[in-house]
Amino acid sequence: MLGGGAAAADQVEVVVYADDAYPPYSYSLNGEARGVYPGILRKAFARMPAYKVQVLPVPWKRGLKMVEMGEAFALTPPYYRPEERPYMDYSLPIFNESVALFCNDTVAPKGSPSRWPDDYLGLHIGRNTGYLIGGKEFDLALKQGKITLNEARGTEENLRKLLVGRLDCYMNDRHAIQNALARIRTEKAYQKTGNVVEATIISQEFGYLGFTRVDPVRYPFKSEFVRQFNVVLNEMKRSGELEQIAESELRR
């Protein structure tokens, strides 16, 4: 067993943070971190007996700042952005997500598959605060003023803006949008708002467990923790358990 038979008194206590507003992948429910990533992490950490790990929800932007300042040991689920986040190291990839663009049907391109971002110039595009998605061509279009970016804290807040026409389109993980959209449509205020359609898949992205590179003296257990986590994660992938956990959480 990894980490040896550590007694409870000998366990290293570790806190890992998770995005609190990214359902169904990572979110807060009654103050508890829930979703695909927290579910996978808890199963993995249970097989690392040298550590007693808490998974706590946190607003994404705050979590990133905590990792950047060395105030947090780890955060899930960042995408791999080593240039933009030089303060972060990464685990092995955990789960593959499809980043999709959903638009009001009045502006979504019709007919042949659309070109991202060329077919969406001049539009107001929504994105979650702190999320670095869209790609280099999208970033260039933003700098050139060809697209307007509007950021809000979570998926549901962005979708509500999309439904009432304050955004033309919104980008995020496909499952996250579908999950939140179905929930919002049950609310009376949004049952007769605009029709939203999936316009295009922007990219495929893996989510990771990101570790701070700051203040290594504060986390002397880091290298061994990361090693053990990666070994357990690979075991879960080979056995099919990781996919089973993800499917169970996505059906909630």
Side-chain angles (χ1 to χ4, degrees):
M1 182 177 291
L2 286 170
D10 298 327
Q11 288 180 308
V12 177
E13 295 190 5
V14 180
V15 176
V16 168
Y17 291 95
D19 191 344
D20 74 347
Y22 186 33
Y25 290 101
S26 184
Y27 58 98
S28 178
L29 182 63
N30 299 322
E32 181 184 0
R34 299 284 293 273
V36 172
Y37 289 97
I40 291 170
L41 293 185
R42 287 193 179 98
K43 286 286 187 179
F45 297 149
R47 298 176 188 177
M48 299 167 57
Y51 306 95
K52 181 180 180 181
V53 187
Q54 277 187 289
V55 183
L56 301 179
V58 68
W60 184 246
K61 196 171 182 180
R62 185 190 305 169
L64 287 172
K65 178 56 68 173
M66 291 169 67
V67 172
E68 183 178 9
M69 301 299 292
E71 297 170 0
F73 172 61
L75 174 70
T76 198
Y79 295 151
Y80 187 68
R81 298 290 188 272
E83 294 182 5
E84 295 90 339
R85 296 171 182 154
Y87 53 83
M88 185 179 288
D89 289 323
Y90 297 84
S91 69
L92 293 177
I94 299 175
F95 191 76
N96 192 15
E97 307 172 24
S98 295
V99 177
L101 186 76
F102 281 65
C103 298
N104 283 307
D105 63 351
T106 55
V107 301
K110 305 297 191 295
S112 59
S114 63
R115 299 166 300 158
W116 172 257
D118 295 351
D119 290 339
Y120 301 88
L121 303 183
L123 299 184
H124 287 74
I125 308 292
R127 186 171 71 181
N128 289 16
T129 303
Y131 282 31
L132 300 177
I133 55 176
K136 292 183 178 180
E137 291 185 6
F138 172 72
D139 292 341
L140 179 60
L142 287 181
K143 290 180 181 179
Q144 295 174 339
K146 296 179 179 179
I147 289 177
T148 300
L149 176 66
N150 291 271
E151 294 186 305
R153 180 174 171 271
T155 304
E156 293 193 8
E157 183 177 345
N158 271 301
L159 284 174
R160 288 187 174 94
K161 292 166 68 175
L162 181 63
L163 286 167
V164 298
R166 291 174 59 195
L167 292 174
D168 295 309
C169 303
Y170 168 58
M171 69 173 86
N172 200 350
D173 171 78
R174 189 170 184 264
H175 283 297
I177 292 177
Q178 290 172 331
N179 179 283
L181 189 59
R183 188 163 53 250
I184 292 170
R185 282 299 196 188
T186 66
E187 300 174 15
K188 187 174 181 181
Y190 295 94
Q191 289 176 355
K192 295 183 179 180
T193 48
N195 189 35
V196 171
V197 298
E198 183 177 336
T200 190
I201 295 293
I202 295 174
S203 64
Q204 298 281 325
E205 296 272 9
F206 277 97
Y208 293 76
L209 182 57
F211 303 91
T212 185
R213 301 183 71 179
V214 181
D215 198 3
V217 174
R218 190 173 184 177
Y219 309 106
F221 55 86
K222 175 184 170 183
S223 60
E224 179 61 14
F225 185 98
V226 175
R227 185 193 71 79
Q228 290 192 28
F229 177 73
N230 285 338
V231 170
V232 172
L233 187 65
N234 268 334
E235 291 174 351
M236 293 173 68
K237 288 179 179 180
R238 284 196 297 267
S239 69
E241 184 179 8
L242 189 146
E243 192 63 35
Q244 291 173 4
I245 295 169
E247 289 178 1
S248 175
E249 291 291 345
L250 291 171
R251 286 196 299 267
R252 285 182 183 270

